[in-house]
Structures are given as structure tokens and as C-alpha cells.
Amino acid sequence: MTNPPCVRLEKAIDRMVRGLAAPLQLADLADVTHYSPWHLAHRFQSEYGDSPQAFLWQLRLEVAASLLQWSPHLSIGQVADLVGFSSPATFSRAFSRSFGFTPSDLRAGRAVAICWIANNLGAMSYRPGLTIAGTDVDRVWSWDEVEACINLEEWPAERMAYQRAVGDYGFHLEQLLVDFQEQCQAIDIKANYWFGLVWSDPATTPAERRRYDAAVAIPRHLKLPRHIGEYQRPAGRWAVFSHLGLSADIGPRWRDLMLVWLPYSGWMLDPQRPRVECYHDGRYDLCLPLLPGRSIQDRLPEILPELLKLVTTAVNDK
């Protein structure tokens, strides 16, 4: 594994994620890092090759692209509002300058946007391990198969310790969890549940900007060493996809959850909470942080034609 990123600078990025729609100032970010604004700007530029303001601007656009991809019921104006743009027109101009195509191109699935997503996903994201590649396990699941494995759960707030990696997602992150477990053992943290916190959408975030945490729940008053990060996971609703399978099939199962289930579930992702991988008892759960999507009344225009087809088929069969 590469050297972990600076915990204090990563706190500034965590603050950005929690305040995507807020008018964050440099002083707000400096406050959580315990740097002066000048020192934060200097360290941030040196570490990431960008100013905090420019990084936040691009982060908002990447999250917006993710919402456009996975929450088709949201209008472009709603997406703009969720990530802190003052108007759809301002958002559309910024989006086009950054990505070379419009939000409408992405929403409509035009070739330029599809190619951009494919390039972002790269060679590892959502890919199967070598032991299952090309086998039946690697197939795309149906809606019914995915839905049968999902429970909606309310999780309480929880304090977590983590070790972060910045870079592409893939099976190499298993070593991050192993290394983190050894660090936890050294400070007497034991657990039956271990977590991977997926902060970036590989469909819309370049590999070099992706963030992933190996994490564990910890007691409220446990004192952590400085090199281990701390995250206060807020309470909320989660879609929990439970699966007894090999770690080699986790990529295809994320693919099924994101491509097959989420866009048609009526829910939307909470952009301020991470997606979660939970490892326990020889199995894994893939967990999506949810916000209310559309009510059944909102979805009736789409659902009614399908219901009418079913009714017509049933009548004709009789």
C-alpha cells in the first residue's frame, strides 16, 4: 500500500463532503484541521496540487454527476441545489466546462457521457476477481434477485476509527483492511464487524481522487493515536444488500446494486454519507445511505402503464 494521506488535511475534505450545499469558506475548513487558513491553503496545494476551493468545486461536480447517474427522478435543478449551485444555469455551465458535456447529455445517456463514465470506471471498478471472471457468478443479477437480498435498516449514530487510502478501487484494498486490523489489535480494539467506507463514486470520480476507509466502530471515550482518523457516522436509513459470497465477487455485486436496483428503487443516495462494505461472519453486506426519493404517487405515471399491461394480460389469459 502507498503511504496514507495526511489525517488533518483529509479532515478538510471530510468537511467538504458534509457541507456540499453550504457556502463553505477557507476558515471553515481551517477550523477542523487546526491550521491557519494560510497554512491550510499552502499544505493543501502542496499535497493535492489544487487549492481547497478548487478541490471543493470539482467535488461538487463529481457528486452532481453521480446523482444524475443514479437518481433519475431528480431534476437537473434539484441536483444543482443539492450540491450548492445557485441556479441550474450556473450549474450547467460549470459542469460543461469541467467535463466537456452537459448534465442533459449525462441524463440522456449520450455517447460522450457514456464514454466518460467507462473511462472513469477503468480496469478495476465493479470488476470480478480472477477466480470468478467469466463464470456464472459474474453474471448480472435480475431485479428480483437483488431485491430479495435487500433490507431497509435504520442505523444509529456511531463513532468510527479509520485508515484511509487515496487512489483506485480494487482488490488491493483488502490489504488496507488487514493492515488496519493489525493497528487496531496493537491498541486493543477488537470487533466482529469491520467496514469499508466508500467515499467516491468510481463512475464519476477519477481514480486518483477516490477515497476509501478501512474502519471499525469504537467506544465513545476511546482515545485514538494521531495517525488514525475518526469519523462520526450519522444516524440514518440504509439499504443493506446481504450476500454470502467470495470477496472476488464483490465488484459484480456492487454493479448489480448500483445498475439494477438503485435507479429504479425510488430512493436516492445521501451524498453526505459513504457507501459501506460490512464484513462479518464470513459474509459481506453492501450498504447504501438513503434519502427519501419519490412517493408512490409521484411514480404512478411510470407504474400505471406496466400495471395496465399486467391486467390486460391477465384478462386475456382468462
Side-chain angles (χ1 to χ4, degrees):
M1 299 297 296
T2 58
N3 293 329
C6 173
V7 171
R8 291 172 73 177
L9 290 179
E10 289 296 316
K11 285 182 178 179
I13 294 174
D14 293 345
R15 180 67 182 88
M16 294 177 190
V17 173
R18 296 198 310 272
L20 281 172
L24 286 177
Q25 304 297 321
L26 186 60
D28 300 316
L29 302 175
D31 185 55
V32 299
T33 62
H34 303 293
Y35 287 136
S36 70
W38 181 90
H39 192 55
L40 170 62
H42 177 75
R43 286 291 313 276
F44 205 97
Q45 183 76 42
S46 176
E47 186 78 13
Y48 303 122
D50 229 337
S51 69
Q53 296 92 333
F55 190 98
L56 174 59
W57 183 264
Q58 190 62 28
L59 176 65
R60 285 172 165 157
L61 292 172
E62 289 165 359
V63 172
S66 182
L67 290 170
L68 289 168
Q69 173 79 355
W70 305 120
S71 299
H73 57 281
L74 290 176
S75 69
I76 290 174
Q78 288 173 317
V79 170
D81 187 58
L82 282 167
V83 297
F85 282 86
S86 58
S87 71
T90 302
F91 167 62
S92 187
R93 285 194 296 270
F95 193 97
S96 299
R97 283 197 301 270
S98 181
F99 300 134
F101 54 89
T102 67
S104 297
D105 290 333
L106 179 55
R107 177 54 58 77
R110 296 193 176 102
V112 63
I114 297 302
C115 289
W116 175 79
I117 288 173
N119 287 335
N120 272 329
L121 285 172
M124 291 194 285
S125 300
Y126 298 166
R127 297 300 193 271
L130 293 177
T131 57
I132 70 159
T135 70
D136 185 60
V137 180
D138 186 23
R139 67 182 174 83
V140 177
W141 283 18
S142 69
W143 164 274
D144 289 340
E145 287 176 301
V146 179
E147 176 69 11
C149 294
I150 288 180
N151 290 312
L152 299 181
E153 299 180 4
E154 296 291 336
W155 290 4
E158 197 161 35
R159 183 179 180 226
M160 308 188 85
Y162 71 83
Q163 181 70 56
R164 175 163 296 175
V166 178
D168 203 357
Y169 293 163
F171 295 103
H172 60 287
L173 291 174
E174 293 177 0
Q175 188 60 45
L176 175 70
L177 181 57
V178 171
D179 294 344
F180 179 65
Q181 288 172 329
E182 291 176 356
Q183 293 182 55
C184 288
Q185 186 176 9
I187 56 176
D188 203 31
I189 295 177
K190 300 180 177 65
N192 294 322
Y193 291 79
W194 297 88
F195 301 92
L197 307 183
V198 183
W199 286 102
S200 309
D201 183 350
T204 61
T205 304
E208 67 274 9
R209 288 172 59 92
R210 296 174 192 166
R211 281 163 167 77
Y212 182 97
D213 299 339
V216 65
I218 55 173
R220 183 179 301 175
H221 301 297
L222 179 67
K223 185 176 177 63
L224 292 172
R226 290 185 178 182
H227 66 279
I228 293 181
E230 178 180 334
Y231 171 54
Q232 299 290 340
R233 193 197 67 209
R237 175 165 290 190
W238 300 74
V240 179
F241 177 98
S242 296
H243 182 52
L244 183 61
L246 303 171
S247 61
D249 70 356
I250 199 168
R253 300 296 77 83
W254 268 124
R255 177 193 63 200
D256 299 333
L257 189 56
M258 300 303 296
L259 290 174
V260 175
W261 187 81
L262 179 62
Y264 309 102
S265 67
W267 295 94
M268 65 169 282
L269 287 177
D270 183 349
Q272 298 186 41
R273 288 182 285 156
R275 307 172 200 183
V276 173
E277 299 170 353
C278 176
Y279 300 95
H280 61 101
D281 301 325
R283 67 185 302 146
Y284 63 77
D285 300 335
L286 307 181
C287 312
L288 298 180
L290 300 179
L291 292 174
R294 296 172 298 176
S295 68
I296 190 69
Q297 289 84 1
D298 294 334
R299 300 176 69 197
L300 277 178
E302 300 170 12
I303 295 172
L304 276 176
E306 297 302 320
L307 290 177
L308 287 173
K309 286 181 184 178
L310 290 173
V311 171
T312 302
T313 301
V315 170
N316 290 339
D317 288 345
K318 288 184 179 180

